[in-house]
Amino acid sequence: MAIRYELLKTCKQTGARLGRVHTPHGSFETPMFMPVGTLATVKTMSPEELERMGASIILSNTYHLWLRPGEDIVEEAGGLHKFMNWNGSILTDSGGFQVFSLSDLRQIEEEGVHFRNHISGEKLFLSPEKAMHIQNSLGADIMMAFDECPPYPAEHDYMKKSVERTSRWAERCLEGHQKPDTQGLFGIVQGGEYEDLRQQSAKDLTSLDFPGYAIGGLSVGEPKDVMNKVLDFTTPLLPDHKPRYLMGVGSPDSLIDGSIRGIDMFDCVLPTRIARNGTCMTSQGRLVVRNAKFARDFRPIDEQCDCHTCRNYSRAYIRHLVKANETFGFRLTTYHNLYFLLKLMRQVREAIREDRLGDFREEFFEQYGFNKPNAKNF
Ligand SMILES: [Zn+2]
């Protein structure tokens, strides 16, 4: 088995799990946040910087690498790890989410999905077997099953058909996966906000005995209390001895609330995307560094942060760089935001170890401003 999960401890206060995931490229403690490196690069960061900030697993996108440079080139380079010079763990998604969100003119059939390349307009086809073939060529430690990602909200009837198709596709993914000894394949539980469909999806997928399970179809525009409610009834359906991955979630409040509900792994483009817009996550809430009020502010972005950016550079300097569109400014904000979330997950793990994640949540939410009415989402 390529992937093994060790449950180290359960928080007495909240039920959150402290664990360790073992992969062919090292182990990492969970709950863990995975920075997103869409095109085999976490935008503006070098693999050496990612290592220095404490990242141990990153995510890369199958759909994007399939189109550019092509999985055959990555395979010829010796796989994704060698191609991008990253020796930690890598997870690749199945391409499904991008096919359903980026391309228009798609046609879903039992065999797979016909759609147009979002760059060239060329007609393409992605199926469970094709998604496995591409991911086997890329060679990530963890691969994801090809699933259908229905829009939110979706009617119960449509969602039921979609869940059933996703289960049939999951079986085809297992059959098509050529390297189970070196790459672990995770199944994805779908079902939207419907408890009966989440139950059906979890039952179908757990019967196939994947080495890990993801919860998909959340963080797609639904309110946070809906997401938490879905997690409340979905995570207990998943086996204790396998990792659980909540896809596409990366705001600080959701990372804590997801951990409390038994999630082990998270990913999201949020910290890197907002960084390139000059927005930072800090212990006091979000800070838009391009604002005029920081022009003469020579304090670090976050006075409680000990990252490379905060130890060496001021708000005024970073504001100047970001305003002038200087790449270095975006490197500094990206480094800080990723460090902030990786550190938050370290704090969450520490709190689980000490049975006080509920108290930590209260303190963090208070300081960050999540308890205020109309608080921003991150
Ligand atoms: Zn910092």
Side-chain angles (χ1 to χ4, degrees), residues 11 20 35 43 93 98 104 119 129 153 195 242 257 266 275 283 291 302 330 352 363 369 371 374:
C11 174
R20 191 176 287 124
K43 288 191 198 309
D93 64 1
Q98 281 74 26
D104 36 31
I119 305 163
E129 291 77 13
E195 187 169 0
K242 306 274 176 83
D257 283 341
F266 304 85
S283 52
N291 284 351
D302 185 348
F330 305 120
I352 297 173
E363 290 155 23
N371 291 338
N374 306 319

Side-chain angles (χ1 to χ4, degrees), residues 288-297 319 323:
V288 182
V289 78
R290 46 168 80 236
N291 284 351
K293 65 176 175 184
F294 300 123
R296 287 183 171 78
D297 191 334
R319 172 180 185 270
K323 292 276 288 178

Side-chain angles (χ1 to χ4, degrees), residues 305 307 310 336:
C305 181
C307 84
C310 293
H336 165 80

Side-chain angles (χ1 to χ4, degrees), residues 5 64 76 105 145 239 267 283 299 303 325 346 351 356 362:
Y5 174 76
H64 293 282
E76 212 177 304
L105 294 169
D267 82 287
S283 52
R299 291 175 296 170
E303 288 178 288
N325 236 0
R346 279 202 301 277
R356 54 170 181 84
E362 284 313 303

Side-chain angles (χ1 to χ4, degrees), residues 301-302 305-311 332 335-337 339-340:
I301 284 176
D302 185 348
C305 181
D306 57 351
C307 84
H308 180 73
T309 298
C310 293
R311 277 188 287 112
L332 292 173
Y335 192 99
H336 165 80
N337 277 357
Y339 185 94
F340 181 80

Side-chain angles (χ1 to χ4, degrees), residues 63-64 97-104 106 116 118:
Y63 171 83
H64 293 282
F97 185 77
Q98 281 74 26
V99 167
F100 288 99
S101 61
L102 282 182
S103 64
D104 36 31
R106 61 184 173 267
R116 285 186 188 275
H118 77 289

